[in-house]
Amino acid sequence: MRFLPHIARVLMGLIFFAAGLVGLIMHPQAKDMPEGAMALMGGFMKSGYMLPLISGTEALVGLLLLINCFVPLALALIAPVIVNIILFHLFLMPAPGAFAPGIIVTIMEIYLAWSYRRVYAPMLACKVKPGAGA
């Protein structure tokens, strides 16, 4: 059991590092996507910065998780990406089996956030004075 956070961190790091690199190198193909998903991806591509930002964030977070550096920050940075992965498949591309990767990374994210809960505790305090130490 004591190796489970390490295993989850490395697996999640591999997933996001690989996905981020692929996203930076290749552009998504919109051939088999529903109309709403194609419109969203088209908007991301036309913006000129959104897809590289998302892919770069994924690659950076994956690398941080793999090298075990700034893990709580990496988990906080990737949380909105994971939420959007789930929502994208829920609303725009609800294909059978498409939820599996999103569910897997969501479970790992929640587990790792729980594993690092002591680090997040000061951030979740209702009222804190500026400059107050943890």
Side-chain angles (χ1 to χ4, degrees):
M1 281 303 273
R2 70 180 191 166
F3 294 111
L4 201 52
H6 176 75
I7 293 168
R9 179 182 52 77
V10 170
L11 285 175
M12 194 167 161
L14 287 171
I15 289 168
F16 280 110
F17 187 67
L21 287 181
V22 167
L24 287 170
I25 295 168
M26 300 171 56
H27 296 291
Q29 299 295 328
K31 292 178 182 175
D32 297 326
M33 289 185 180
E35 185 179 335
M38 287 190 335
L40 178 66
M41 289 309 223
F44 282 171
M45 285 189 260
K46 287 179 184 176
S47 74
Y49 78 93
M50 199 62 181
L51 284 179
L53 175 67
I54 295 167
S55 297
T57 301
E58 289 176 346
L60 175 65
V61 164
L63 181 63
L64 290 174
L65 291 173
L66 286 171
I67 65 173
N68 196 22
C69 188
F70 300 112
V71 172
L73 176 62
L75 294 173
L77 286 173
I78 203 66
V81 174
I82 293 172
V83 168
N84 279 289
I85 290 169
I86 295 293
L87 294 177
F88 177 82
H89 288 291
L90 182 65
F91 292 110
L92 298 177
M93 236 172 120
F99 285 102
I103 296 298
I104 291 167
V105 295
T106 299
I107 291 169
M108 287 191 286
E109 169 81 8
I110 292 168
Y111 174 72
L112 287 170
W114 179 256
S115 298
Y116 287 91
R117 66 188 175 277
R118 287 191 182 105
V119 176
Y120 295 116
M123 183 175 71
L124 299 174
C126 184
K127 294 187 180 192
V128 179
K129 294 180 183 176

